[in-house]
């Protein structure tokens, strides 16, 4: 019989300042106990196909962290559908399926893409929502030509480098029940949008929107993409740990993807040694990615429904859930 979860920070009790908090924070064993009887549908080969470059996520991580999260999200989907049905009944409207929308946020190199892919696979195993789509906000980056024209190529990934109106329009129309939408496709190999190529999204049961910018607040007088989320996840870690993971990933890509002559960063593989590559990647991290993390991404952590906090070895150690 599983022991009850240990509440590291429980919203039922006042804080030291005398105020109650709507959050509960659980350590890994306590969170893992909430899996209940949710089965593990993945093999090691399945997981290998879902992991990002240098991401060490294991089947133990899937069992301890992602299966309980899958179970929780299944409960959220059911409750949200009941609420939507009640509102439609009140308005006298017919049944119009709307997707349950999940946002997944976090820094570059923190592992949010692996989290999103795992959730897509696990959530599709539940019989009441088998159609799960995953969309990256990279698809809504402005093209390199536009970024260069605006003089912000060195701020790629910052809020102004995205077509935020197009992203909000896509998510809002999906939430309104649009049967089918076409969106641009971004290539990490080319480091740019792919001309003439689109991703088709056809009214899923669940839509996962993954990207560094998904929890950012709206511009004055406008809606933000997060306004349409039913649940949001922030993948968290210390800045110094993310920096180390970023450099490890960059060097791994230098040995693999960057060796492709079509890669935007091919020169990193063909014209530099490892020391020069580390110096380049460190400069990019320091001047772009760390600045964006500290100024724009990390401040959105408090907007998430759930925070997955990783230790130095990429292992998720704690889970914080907003209960209201």
């Amino acid at each position: 019989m599983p022991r009850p979860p240990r509440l590291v920070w429980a919203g039922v009790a006042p804080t030291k300042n005398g105020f109650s908090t709507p959050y509960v924070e659980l350590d890994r064993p306590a969170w893992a106990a909430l899996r209940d009887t949710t089965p593990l549908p993945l093999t090691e080969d399945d997981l290998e196909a879902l992991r990002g470059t240098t991401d060490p996520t294991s089947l133990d991580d899937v069992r301890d962290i992602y299966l309980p999260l899958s179970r929780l999200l299944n409960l959220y989907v059911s409750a949200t559908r009941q609420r939507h049905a009640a509102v439609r009944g009140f308005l006298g409207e017919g049944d119009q399926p709307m997707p349950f929308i999940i946002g997944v946020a976090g820094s570059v190199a923190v592992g949010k893409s692996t989290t999103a892919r795992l959730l897509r696979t696990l959530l599709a195993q539940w019989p009441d929502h088998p159609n799960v789509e995953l969309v990256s906000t990279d698809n809504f980056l402005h093209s390199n030509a536009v970024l260069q024209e605006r003089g912000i190529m060195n701020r790629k990934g910052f809020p102004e480098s995205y077509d935020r109106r197009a992203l909000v329009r896509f998510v809002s129309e999906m939430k309104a029940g649009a049967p089918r939408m076409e969106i641009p496709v971004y290539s990490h190999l080319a480091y740019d949008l792919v001309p003439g190529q689109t991703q088709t999204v056809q009214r899923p049961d669940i839509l996962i929107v993954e990207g560094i910018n998904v929890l950012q607040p709206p511009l004055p007088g406008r809606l933000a993409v997060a306004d349409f989320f039913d649940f949001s996840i922030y993948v968290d870690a210390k800045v110094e740990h993310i920096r180390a993971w970023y450099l490890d990933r960059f060097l791994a890509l230098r040995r693999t993807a960057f060796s492709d002559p079509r890669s935007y960063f091919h020169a990193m593989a063909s014209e530099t040694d490892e020391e020069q590559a580390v110096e380049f990647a460190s400069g990019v991290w320091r001047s772009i990615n760390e600045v964006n993390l500290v100024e724009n991404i990390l401040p959105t952590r408090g907007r998430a429904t759930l925070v997955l906090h990783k230790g130095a070895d990429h292992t998720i150690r704690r889970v914080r859930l907003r209960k209201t």
Side-chain angles (χ1 to χ4, degrees), residues 98-114:
M98 291 186 294
F100 184 90
I101 303 183
I102 302 168
V104 180
S107 171
V108 168
V110 79
K112 64 187 178 302
S113 297
T114 297

Side-chain angles (χ1 to χ4, degrees), residues 266-298:
H266 181 59
M268 284 292 105
S270 61
E271 301 174 16
T272 65
D273 57 29
E274 185 166 305
E275 184 177 346
Q276 291 171 316
V278 169
E279 183 179 355
F280 173 83
S282 296
V284 170
W285 171 262
R286 186 171 52 253
S287 63
I288 299 176
N289 292 318
E290 185 173 356
V291 175
N292 198 17
L293 170 58
V294 173
E295 293 183 357
N296 298 305
I297 303 168
L298 189 55

Side-chain angles (χ1 to χ4, degrees), residues 54-320:
T54 69
D55 190 310
T57 299
S58 67
L59 286 177
D60 284 341
D61 296 322
V62 175
R63 187 179 296 108
D64 291 350
I65 302 298
Y66 293 102
L67 289 182
L69 180 52
S70 170
R71 178 181 173 227
L72 175 65
L73 287 168
N74 175 256
L75 295 172
Y76 262 80
V77 171
S78 298
T80 301
R81 285 176 173 173
Q82 291 175 8
R83 177 167 56 85
H84 288 167
V87 172
R88 288 195 302 269
F90 172 75
L91 296 173
E93 296 179 347
D95 185 29
Q96 182 180 6
M98 291 186 294
F100 184 90
I101 303 183
I102 302 168
V104 180
S107 171
V108 168
V110 79
K112 64 187 178 302
S113 297
T114 297
T115 292
R117 288 191 292 266
L118 275 168
L119 288 177
R120 177 186 59 187
T121 300
L122 294 174
L123 290 170
Q125 304 299 315
W126 293 86
D128 43 350
H129 42 73
N131 182 12
V132 183
E133 290 273 10
L134 171 59
V135 167
S136 170
T137 60
D138 288 346
N139 294 342
F140 293 90
L141 281 162
H142 287 298
S143 68
N144 288 355
V146 170
L147 297 178
Q148 289 165 352
E149 179 184 341
R150 297 181 181 180
I152 56 172
M153 187 66 182
N154 64 338
R155 290 181 65 81
K156 195 168 193 175
F158 282 72
E160 64 269 28
S161 67
Y162 290 87
D163 188 343
R164 286 177 281 187
R165 288 185 178 181
L167 175 57
V168 170
R169 188 185 316 119
F170 163 71
V171 177
S172 66
E173 291 189 23
M174 280 281 102
K175 193 64 178 175
R180 173 190 175 104
M181 293 193 71
E182 304 279 341
I183 61 173
V185 170
Y186 183 83
S187 165
H188 286 277
L189 185 69
Y191 197 59
D192 201 356
L193 296 176
V194 181
Q197 188 171 333
T198 59
Q199 176 182 350
T200 302
V201 183
Q202 294 183 315
R203 192 187 287 160
D205 300 313
I206 298 175
L207 174 63
I208 302 173
V209 182
E210 173 264 320
I212 60 178
N213 60 328
V214 297
L215 291 178
Q216 286 169 353
L219 295 172
R222 297 184 183 175
L223 290 170
V225 64
D227 290 327
F228 300 95
F229 292 163
D230 298 292
F231 195 96
S232 55
I233 299 164
Y234 185 96
V235 185
D236 187 38
K238 291 183 177 180
V239 174
E240 60 267 29
H241 297 160
I242 304 174
R243 176 186 181 274
W245 301 338
Y246 174 79
L247 295 179
D248 287 345
R249 188 180 73 174
F250 189 90
L251 291 177
L253 290 171
R254 179 177 176 269
R255 295 188 296 268
T256 54
F258 294 173
S259 62
D260 188 326
R262 298 169 298 169
S263 171
Y264 181 87
F265 293 103
H266 181 59
M268 284 292 105
S270 61
E271 301 174 16
T272 65
D273 57 29
E274 185 166 305
E275 184 177 346
Q276 291 171 316
V278 169
E279 183 179 355
F280 173 83
S282 296
V284 170
W285 171 262
R286 186 171 52 253
S287 63
I288 299 176
N289 292 318
E290 185 173 356
V291 175
N292 198 17
L293 170 58
V294 173
E295 293 183 357
N296 298 305
I297 303 168
L298 189 55
T300 70
R301 180 177 58 187
R303 294 167 58 84
T305 314
L306 180 136
V307 178
L308 301 172
H309 184 78
K310 292 186 171 186
D313 60 354
H314 254 295
T315 301
I316 295 170
R317 306 289 181 82
R318 302 192 310 278
V319 178
R320 189 183 72 172

